Amino acid sequence: QSALTQPASVSGSPGQSITISCTGTSSDVGRYNYVSWYQQYPGKAPKLMIWEVSNRPSGVSNRFSGSKSGNTASLTISGLQAEDEADYYCSSYTSTTTPHVFGPGTKVTVV
Amino acid sequence: EVQLVESGGGLVQPGESLRLSCAASAFAFRTYYMRWVRQAPGKGLEWVADIKGDGSEKRYVDSVKGRFTISRDNGNSSLYLQMNSLTVADTAVYYCARGGVWGFDVWGQGTMVTVSS
């Protein structure tokens, strides 16, 4: 069972904006600004999309943005495109004996 | 190009051992925390272990403590995971990844470990 909670699926039409939530606790998301987001296509390795809540690595589209409020972090994809259809995982650093935890993943579907 | 390439996966029986390797290139390997992350078939990502740049600190998820050992050879820019007493629950794709507290910015392509009788 994941320490972080994400919706199993989110869908949207091309051009729309969607938001994926990631809820943790005061030991992880609520305590640190070390929330990251990963995109994963089937059979491929994850790709870092957001680090430290809202920073985008070089090369990642500015259609992807991150934020955090309390124990919940969010990933927003604006101007949804067919290529955004993938699984998205959040992760947080934690103060527990398991320093990094992931959410269960959210499948994004572009309808 | 910054790259991580895993090897060593395969099919083993319960109770057997396996050693995974990860070859790093094009970055200052010794300055980064390195970690192993696994993904069981059809499941999500799970952090397994990590090791500080100089090898002085190692941490493990509870389910592998006492069975898995992470190590590194900074001279050869290589990361390892020695896995002993494997169980069916260890079946997964194992990724090596680079990063710090802020996240995992470079990932390998993964190597499949299947534990089955």
Side-chain angles (χ1 to χ4, degrees), chain A residues 34-36 38 40 44-48 51-52 89 91 93 97-100 102-104, chain B residues 35 37 39 43-47 50 59-60 62 95 100-105 107-109:
Chain A
Y34 295 134
V35 176
S36 51
Y38 303 87
Q40 187 180 35
K44 300 297 186 182
K47 174 187 175 183
L48 178 67
W51 57 281
E52 285 188 6
Y89 295 89
S91 178
Y93 188 73
T97 58
T98 303
H100 297 277
F102 288 94
Chain B
R35 55 273 308 244
V37 176
Q39 187 170 34
K43 302 297 184 183
L45 302 170
E46 179 183 37
W47 172 86
D50 66 17
R59 299 175 295 188
Y60 303 91
D62 286 347
Y95 297 99
V101 292
W102 39 266
F104 309 65
D105 66 339
W107 297 68
Q109 85 288 353

Side-chain angles (χ1 to χ4, degrees), chain A residues 50-69:
Chain A
I50 296 287
W51 57 281
E52 285 188 6
V53 176
S54 59
N55 295 296
R56 271 188 317 275
S58 174
V60 171
S61 171
N62 59 9
R63 298 186 298 105
F64 291 84
S65 61
S67 62
K68 190 188 88 167
S69 177

Side-chain angles (χ1 to χ4, degrees), chain B residues 59-91:
Chain B
R59 299 175 295 188
Y60 303 91
V61 69
D62 286 347
S63 60
V64 308
K65 283 180 182 175
R67 301 189 298 122
F68 289 14
T69 302
I70 189 172
S71 61
R72 63 192 299 159
D73 179 348
N74 286 341
N76 287 312
S77 296
S78 294
L79 177 72
Y80 305 102
L81 186 66
Q82 177 66 43
M83 305 185 295
N84 298 332
S85 302
L86 284 161
T87 72
V88 172
D90 296 317
T91 295

